[in-house]
Amino acid sequence: MNDHYLKKLDRVTAILTQLQSKPIVRAQDLAQKFEVSVRTIYRDVKTLENAGIPIVGEAGSGYSLMDGYKLPPVMFTKEEVLSFITAEKLMQKFLHQSLGNHYQTAMEKVRSVLKYSDKNLIENIEKQIDVYNYHPKTEDNIKNVIPIILESIAEKKQLTMEYKTMDSKISTRTIEAVGVFFEFNYWYIMAFCTLRNDFRQFRVDRILQIFKTQNPFLQEYGQINDYRKSGNGNKTTVKLLVEKKIMNHLVNSKKYYGLIDEVDTENGVELTFETEWINDGFPRWLITFADYATILEPEILQTKLNDLLIKISGKHK
């Protein structure tokens, strides 16, 4: 069997796996995933149909397996089994506690369908992999908070919650959750807040109570990254010239503080930000590397930084 037919066999098998794991699969998405033409995908689907797989749908719309059709358990390659072990170690360190039991149960089901040799492989190698996390996990006030949030997104139902703000004030909010994300060791909800009539992000560990209502969403939402990129509130453009030798220390934080452009110059790296935190958050971050940076604009940032330095100096005389 030549290389062309081996690739086709691998691709057709992978398409069958996609059909097993999703309610509907578009030919365009498959073509992009496997880096082939849409016409090639059509031929691959026809190959599956000729093999007796009952596929519902047609070219141009999407494909799915006939409801009720069952296939034998999926077999995993050795490389996939090793990736499961690594992923499990990562999840043990970073998984939100409200998802922990569900993930553990899911992994037990995965292990149950592995070949005997693969089970031995896991037993022999899982103690040789570890992930070190130097940040303590945050503790939730309630159980199953993220599953409740995800259910509300899937069902497009509003949530009502009691939330403790940064200054320890408690407020009741009705929100329409767009998604959840993990950043700087905390889980957040990105949501439309009906009280503020705008998009907000809420730290999950500050939720005191949360309930899924029967009220439907007021509007349709896109992907979570659409809202995280656009942000909300009034933004200020900031430009800094930073020495190249410290750029490695800013890899993660610069994006958090609104980086939109980065240009290498002879004198350093010119960073452009759009930030909502010009009055407090941005100056406090800048002070951590201010001796390696020059403020190009705006002047107000220089004023804010100087005021902060004077305040710090006065407290530590």
Side-chain angles (χ1 to χ4, degrees):
M1 189 179 289
N2 62 35
D3 186 57
H4 169 75
Y5 288 106
L6 283 173
K7 286 182 179 178
K8 179 180 174 65
L9 179 60
D10 287 343
R11 190 174 62 249
V12 169
T13 302
I15 290 172
L16 181 55
T17 301
Q18 291 287 303
L19 289 167
Q20 288 179 264
S21 61
K22 297 180 180 179
I24 191 164
V25 180
R26 299 192 316 148
Q28 295 91 330
D29 296 334
L30 292 172
Q32 185 176 5
K33 179 178 178 63
F34 299 113
E35 298 181 344
V36 295
S37 68
V38 173
R39 189 177 295 274
T40 297
I41 297 298
Y42 292 158
R43 289 196 293 264
D44 290 341
V45 171
K46 191 66 177 177
T47 298
L48 287 169
E49 290 176 330
N50 291 338
I53 305 298
I55 297 176
V56 180
E58 57 184 26
S61 56
Y63 301 106
S64 61
L65 289 177
M66 183 181 292
D67 190 32
Y69 180 72
K70 301 296 183 183
L71 286 166
V74 175
M75 300 303 293
F76 299 105
T77 66
K78 185 178 294 185
E79 291 78 13
E80 288 168 340
V81 171
L82 290 171
S83 73
F84 288 151
I85 304 170
T86 307
E88 188 172 16
K89 293 290 184 178
L90 283 167
M91 296 301 271
Q92 287 170 356
K93 298 293 184 180
F94 295 101
L95 186 68
H96 190 271
Q97 66 185 60
S98 67
L99 298 173
N101 292 336
H102 303 292
Y103 180 79
Q104 186 176 1
T105 303
M107 281 304 301
E108 287 170 357
K109 291 178 180 178
V110 170
R111 289 171 185 254
S112 71
V113 301
L114 295 177
K115 295 182 294 186
Y116 182 78
S117 59
D118 289 338
K119 292 177 182 177
N120 284 337
L121 176 66
I122 286 182
E123 187 175 347
N124 291 333
I125 199 135
E126 64 182 347
K127 293 180 181 178
Q128 310 308 121
I129 303 172
D130 205 349
V131 176
Y132 299 102
N133 179 20
Y134 297 102
H135 301 283
K137 286 187 177 181
T138 57
E139 294 295 326
D140 295 330
N141 294 285
I142 51 179
K143 294 182 178 179
N144 291 325
V145 59
I146 287 187
I148 291 172
I149 297 163
L150 296 179
E151 283 178 16
S152 79
I153 296 170
E155 298 173 9
K156 299 186 184 303
K157 295 291 178 62
Q158 292 181 344
L159 293 165
T160 298
M161 66 177 183
E162 285 188 6
Y163 186 76
K164 182 189 288 187
T165 61
M166 189 178 296
D167 55 2
S168 296
K169 294 180 180 178
I170 297 175
S171 64
T172 300
R173 304 290 184 95
T174 297
I175 63 170
E176 299 178 358
V178 176
V180 297
F181 63 95
F182 182 81
E183 190 169 59
F184 295 98
N185 209 51
Y186 292 103
W187 282 92
Y188 293 86
I189 314 173
M190 176 62 70
F192 179 80
C193 176
T194 60
L195 177 65
R196 304 300 183 194
N197 197 32
D198 202 353
F199 292 94
R200 294 287 189 270
Q201 60 187 49
F202 302 93
R203 245 176 60 180
V204 169
D205 63 305
R206 290 187 181 147
I207 298 173
L208 304 179
Q209 292 189 67
I210 191 165
F211 305 97
K212 185 177 66 174
T213 75
Q214 293 305 310
N215 301 325
F217 281 9
L218 301 175
Q219 55 189 310
E220 291 290 328
Y221 303 105
Q223 300 179 5
I224 185 173
N225 285 340
D226 298 336
Y227 298 92
R228 295 199 62 221
K229 288 173 185 174
S230 61
N232 48 74
N234 297 320
K235 292 186 176 182
T236 302
T237 300
V238 172
K239 289 190 177 182
L240 305 176
L241 185 64
V242 180
E243 294 183 27
K244 295 180 180 180
K245 62 183 178 182
I246 67 149
M247 286 303 299
N248 285 340
H249 299 286
L250 308 179
V251 170
N252 295 318
S253 58
K254 64 185 180 183
K255 293 181 180 178
Y256 180 79
Y257 283 94
L259 180 74
I260 60 170
D261 194 27
E262 182 173 331
V263 179
D264 252 332
T265 71
E266 291 183 1
N267 299 320
V269 182
E270 187 174 305
L271 304 178
T272 303
F273 301 84
E274 285 189 353
T275 180
E276 301 168 20
W277 307 320
I278 193 68
N279 292 320
D280 190 53
F282 200 94
R284 289 182 183 278
W285 174 63
L286 176 58
I287 206 170
T288 62
F289 61 97
D291 49 335
Y292 297 103
T294 301
I295 298 172
L296 302 179
E297 63 175 80
E299 289 186 13
I300 189 174
L301 179 58
Q302 185 68 64
T303 301
K304 296 289 183 184
L305 185 64
N306 287 339
D307 290 346
L308 185 57
L309 288 168
I310 292 170
K311 183 177 179 180
I312 292 171
S313 177
K315 282 193 172 185
H316 298 281
K317 284 183 178 179

mmCIF file of all heavy atoms in Angstrom, residues 78 81-82 85 89 111 114-129:
data_model
loop_
_atom_site.group_PDB
_atom_site.id
_atom_site.type_symbol
_atom_site.label_atom_id
_atom_site.label_comp_id
_atom_site.label_asym_id
_atom_site.label_seq_id
_atom_site.Cartn_x
_atom_site.Cartn_y
_atom_site.Cartn_z
ATOM 1 N N LYS A 78 -0.517 4.910 20.648
ATOM 2 C CA LYS A 78 0.366 5.043 21.815
ATOM 3 C C LYS A 78 0.661 6.514 22.100
ATOM 4 O O LYS A 78 0.705 6.938 23.261
ATOM 5 C CB LYS A 78 1.663 4.276 21.569
ATOM 6 C CG LYS A 78 2.601 4.255 22.762
ATOM 7 C CD LYS A 78 3.859 3.436 22.471
ATOM 8 C CE LYS A 78 3.514 1.965 22.286
ATOM 9 N NZ LYS A 78 4.715 1.135 22.111
ATOM 10 N N VAL A 81 -2.253 8.043 23.895
ATOM 11 C CA VAL A 81 -2.299 7.599 25.289
ATOM 12 C C VAL A 81 -1.310 8.411 26.125
ATOM 13 O O VAL A 81 -1.628 8.864 27.234
ATOM 14 C CB VAL A 81 -1.986 6.090 25.393
ATOM 15 C CG1 VAL A 81 -1.825 5.683 26.858
ATOM 16 C CG2 VAL A 81 -3.100 5.273 24.745
ATOM 17 N N LEU A 82 -0.099 8.635 25.601
ATOM 18 C CA LEU A 82 0.906 9.420 26.326
ATOM 19 C C LEU A 82 0.437 10.868 26.499
ATOM 20 O O LEU A 82 0.701 11.496 27.528
ATOM 21 C CB LEU A 82 2.241 9.378 25.582
ATOM 22 C CG LEU A 82 2.965 8.022 25.599
ATOM 23 C CD1 LEU A 82 4.158 8.043 24.654
ATOM 24 C CD2 LEU A 82 3.412 7.671 27.006
ATOM 25 N N ILE A 85 -1.876 11.155 29.499
ATOM 26 C CA ILE A 85 -1.180 11.176 30.791
ATOM 27 C C ILE A 85 -0.700 12.588 31.104
ATOM 28 O O ILE A 85 -0.899 13.106 32.204
ATOM 29 C CB ILE A 85 0.023 10.217 30.788
ATOM 30 C CG1 ILE A 85 -0.418 8.800 30.421
ATOM 31 C CG2 ILE A 85 0.723 10.211 32.143
ATOM 32 C CD1 ILE A 85 0.735 7.859 30.156
ATOM 33 N N LYS A 89 -1.972 15.233 34.136
ATOM 34 C CA LYS A 89 -1.102 15.892 35.113
ATOM 35 C C LYS A 89 -1.345 17.407 35.131
ATOM 36 O O LYS A 89 -1.391 18.034 36.195
ATOM 37 C CB LYS A 89 0.367 15.601 34.780
ATOM 38 C CG LYS A 89 0.780 14.147 34.964
ATOM 39 C CD LYS A 89 0.814 13.771 36.432
ATOM 40 C CE LYS A 89 1.310 12.352 36.625
ATOM 41 N NZ LYS A 89 1.389 11.970 38.043
ATOM 42 N N ARG A 111 -9.666 5.360 30.309
ATOM 43 C CA ARG A 111 -8.763 4.264 30.684
ATOM 44 C C ARG A 111 -9.432 2.904 30.491
ATOM 45 O O ARG A 111 -8.778 1.918 30.165
ATOM 46 C CB ARG A 111 -8.324 4.418 32.139
ATOM 47 C CG ARG A 111 -7.355 5.569 32.387
ATOM 48 C CD ARG A 111 -7.156 5.778 33.880
ATOM 49 N NE ARG A 111 -6.330 6.932 34.174
ATOM 50 C CZ ARG A 111 -5.074 6.878 34.602
ATOM 51 N NH1 ARG A 111 -4.496 5.710 34.774
ATOM 52 N NH2 ARG A 111 -4.396 7.971 34.857
ATOM 53 N N LEU A 114 -8.918 1.363 27.037
ATOM 54 C CA LEU A 114 -7.562 1.187 26.532
ATOM 55 C C LEU A 114 -7.188 -0.285 26.459
ATOM 56 O O LEU A 114 -7.682 -1.114 27.212
ATOM 57 C CB LEU A 114 -6.556 1.913 27.446
ATOM 58 C CG LEU A 114 -6.660 3.439 27.512
ATOM 59 C CD1 LEU A 114 -5.653 3.977 28.516
ATOM 60 C CD2 LEU A 114 -6.448 4.067 26.150
ATOM 61 N N LYS A 115 -6.271 -0.573 25.544
ATOM 62 C CA LYS A 115 -5.727 -1.932 25.463
ATOM 63 C C LYS A 115 -4.909 -2.231 26.722
ATOM 64 O O LYS A 115 -4.413 -1.317 27.380
ATOM 65 C CB LYS A 115 -4.835 -2.068 24.226
ATOM 66 C CG LYS A 115 -5.562 -1.916 22.897
ATOM 67 C CD LYS A 115 -4.623 -2.116 21.732
ATOM 68 C CE LYS A 115 -3.574 -1.012 21.671
ATOM 69 N NZ LYS A 115 -2.731 -1.112 20.464
ATOM 70 N N TYR A 116 -4.754 -3.506 27.017
ATOM 71 C CA TYR A 116 -4.018 -3.913 28.213
ATOM 72 C C TYR A 116 -2.595 -3.359 28.187
ATOM 73 O O TYR A 116 -2.093 -2.869 29.205
ATOM 74 C CB TYR A 116 -3.985 -5.448 28.298
ATOM 75 C CG TYR A 116 -3.281 -5.974 29.527
ATOM 76 C CD1 TYR A 116 -3.919 -5.982 30.765
ATOM 77 C CD2 TYR A 116 -1.958 -6.435 29.457
ATOM 78 C CE1 TYR A 116 -3.277 -6.443 31.898
ATOM 79 C CE2 TYR A 116 -1.310 -6.898 30.584
ATOM 80 C CZ TYR A 116 -1.970 -6.912 31.807
ATOM 81 O OH TYR A 116 -1.322 -7.376 32.922
ATOM 82 N N SER A 117 -1.961 -3.392 27.023
ATOM 83 C CA SER A 117 -0.582 -2.896 26.917
ATOM 84 C C SER A 117 -0.514 -1.402 27.189
ATOM 85 O O SER A 117 0.445 -0.902 27.781
ATOM 86 C CB SER A 117 -0.007 -3.209 25.535
ATOM 87 O OG SER A 117 -0.799 -2.602 24.525
ATOM 88 N N ASP A 118 -1.558 -0.662 26.756
ATOM 89 C CA ASP A 118 -1.579 0.784 26.998
ATOM 90 C C ASP A 118 -1.814 1.103 28.467
ATOM 91 O O ASP A 118 -1.297 2.095 28.989
ATOM 92 C CB ASP A 118 -2.651 1.445 26.142
ATOM 93 C CG ASP A 118 -2.283 1.456 24.659
ATOM 94 O OD1 ASP A 118 -1.080 1.344 24.363
ATOM 95 O OD2 ASP A 118 -3.186 1.563 23.812
ATOM 96 N N LYS A 119 -2.598 0.263 29.145
ATOM 97 C CA LYS A 119 -2.804 0.453 30.586
ATOM 98 C C LYS A 119 -1.483 0.270 31.334
ATOM 99 O O LYS A 119 -1.182 0.993 32.280
ATOM 100 C CB LYS A 119 -3.857 -0.524 31.099
ATOM 101 C CG LYS A 119 -5.267 -0.234 30.580
ATOM 102 C CD LYS A 119 -6.269 -1.263 31.063
ATOM 103 C CE LYS A 119 -7.659 -0.973 30.483
ATOM 104 N NZ LYS A 119 -8.657 -1.980 30.876
ATOM 105 N N ASN A 120 -0.693 -0.713 30.902
ATOM 106 C CA ASN A 120 0.630 -0.916 31.497
ATOM 107 C C ASN A 120 1.537 0.277 31.216
ATOM 108 O O ASN A 120 2.340 0.687 32.063
ATOM 109 C CB ASN A 120 1.268 -2.187 30.950
ATOM 110 C CG ASN A 120 0.665 -3.441 31.569
ATOM 111 O OD1 ASN A 120 0.099 -3.383 32.658
ATOM 112 N ND2 ASN A 120 0.770 -4.569 30.883
ATOM 113 N N LEU A 121 1.408 0.827 29.995
ATOM 114 C CA LEU A 121 2.212 1.988 29.629
ATOM 115 C C LEU A 121 1.919 3.150 30.568
ATOM 116 O O LEU A 121 2.836 3.830 31.053
ATOM 117 C CB LEU A 121 1.902 2.386 28.177
ATOM 118 C CG LEU A 121 2.585 3.651 27.653
ATOM 119 C CD1 LEU A 121 4.095 3.447 27.562
ATOM 120 C CD2 LEU A 121 2.025 4.038 26.294
ATOM 121 N N ILE A 122 0.637 3.399 30.847
ATOM 122 C CA ILE A 122 0.246 4.476 31.761
ATOM 123 C C ILE A 122 0.821 4.242 33.150
ATOM 124 O O ILE A 122 1.376 5.142 33.783
ATOM 125 C CB ILE A 122 -1.293 4.590 31.826
ATOM 126 C CG1 ILE A 122 -1.831 5.217 30.550
ATOM 127 C CG2 ILE A 122 -1.729 5.418 33.032
ATOM 128 C CD1 ILE A 122 -3.325 5.407 30.532
ATOM 129 N N GLU A 123 0.688 2.996 33.640
ATOM 130 C CA GLU A 123 1.164 2.686 34.985
ATOM 131 C C GLU A 123 2.663 2.899 35.115
ATOM 132 O O GLU A 123 3.157 3.347 36.149
ATOM 133 C CB GLU A 123 0.810 1.230 35.323
ATOM 134 C CG GLU A 123 1.126 0.863 36.764
ATOM 135 C CD GLU A 123 0.650 -0.548 37.119
ATOM 136 O OE1 GLU A 123 -0.131 -1.128 36.340
ATOM 137 O OE2 GLU A 123 1.069 -1.054 38.169
ATOM 138 N N ASN A 124 3.402 2.607 34.046
ATOM 139 C CA ASN A 124 4.857 2.713 34.091
ATOM 140 C C ASN A 124 5.365 4.140 33.956
ATOM 141 O O ASN A 124 6.448 4.458 34.441
ATOM 142 C CB ASN A 124 5.483 1.853 32.987
ATOM 143 C CG ASN A 124 5.301 0.370 33.246
ATOM 144 O OD1 ASN A 124 5.184 -0.055 34.399
ATOM 145 N ND2 ASN A 124 5.251 -0.423 32.186
ATOM 146 N N ILE A 125 4.582 5.019 33.287
ATOM 147 C CA ILE A 125 5.134 6.328 32.970
ATOM 148 C C ILE A 125 4.476 7.484 33.712
ATOM 149 O O ILE A 125 5.051 8.574 33.813
ATOM 150 C CB ILE A 125 5.055 6.592 31.447
ATOM 151 C CG1 ILE A 125 6.038 7.707 31.038
ATOM 152 C CG2 ILE A 125 3.655 7.015 31.032
ATOM 153 C CD1 ILE A 125 6.812 7.435 29.857
ATOM 154 N N GLU A 126 3.289 7.287 34.286
ATOM 155 C CA GLU A 126 2.593 8.430 34.879
ATOM 156 C C GLU A 126 3.330 9.021 36.080
ATOM 157 O O GLU A 126 3.169 10.202 36.387
ATOM 158 C CB GLU A 126 1.159 8.052 35.247
ATOM 159 C CG GLU A 126 1.008 6.989 36.297
ATOM 160 C CD GLU A 126 -0.474 6.674 36.544
ATOM 161 O OE1 GLU A 126 -1.333 7.441 36.082
ATOM 162 O OE2 GLU A 126 -0.750 5.660 37.191
ATOM 163 N N LYS A 127 4.166 8.208 36.764
ATOM 164 C CA LYS A 127 4.930 8.739 37.896
ATOM 165 C C LYS A 127 6.191 9.468 37.448
ATOM 166 O O LYS A 127 6.903 10.039 38.281
ATOM 167 C CB LYS A 127 5.293 7.605 38.850
ATOM 168 C CG LYS A 127 4.075 6.995 39.544
ATOM 169 C CD LYS A 127 4.465 5.873 40.480
ATOM 170 C CE LYS A 127 3.233 5.264 41.143
ATOM 171 N NZ LYS A 127 3.570 4.124 42.030
ATOM 172 N N GLN A 128 6.453 9.449 36.137
ATOM 173 C CA GLN A 128 7.649 10.116 35.615
ATOM 174 C C GLN A 128 7.333 11.510 35.076
ATOM 175 O O GLN A 128 8.207 12.189 34.550
ATOM 176 C CB GLN A 128 8.279 9.278 34.488
ATOM 177 C CG GLN A 128 8.495 7.812 34.826
ATOM 178 C CD GLN A 128 9.256 7.621 36.125
ATOM 179 O OE1 GLN A 128 8.770 7.001 37.044
ATOM 180 N NE2 GLN A 128 10.448 8.194 36.201
ATOM 181 N N ILE A 129 6.093 11.928 35.194
ATOM 182 C CA ILE A 129 5.673 13.251 34.707
ATOM 183 C C ILE A 129 5.086 14.038 35.868
ATOM 184 O O ILE A 129 4.278 13.509 36.626
ATOM 185 C CB ILE A 129 4.605 13.123 33.595
ATOM 186 C CG1 ILE A 129 5.127 12.265 32.443
ATOM 187 C CG2 ILE A 129 4.177 14.495 33.089
ATOM 188 C CD1 ILE A 129 4.073 11.944 31.402
#
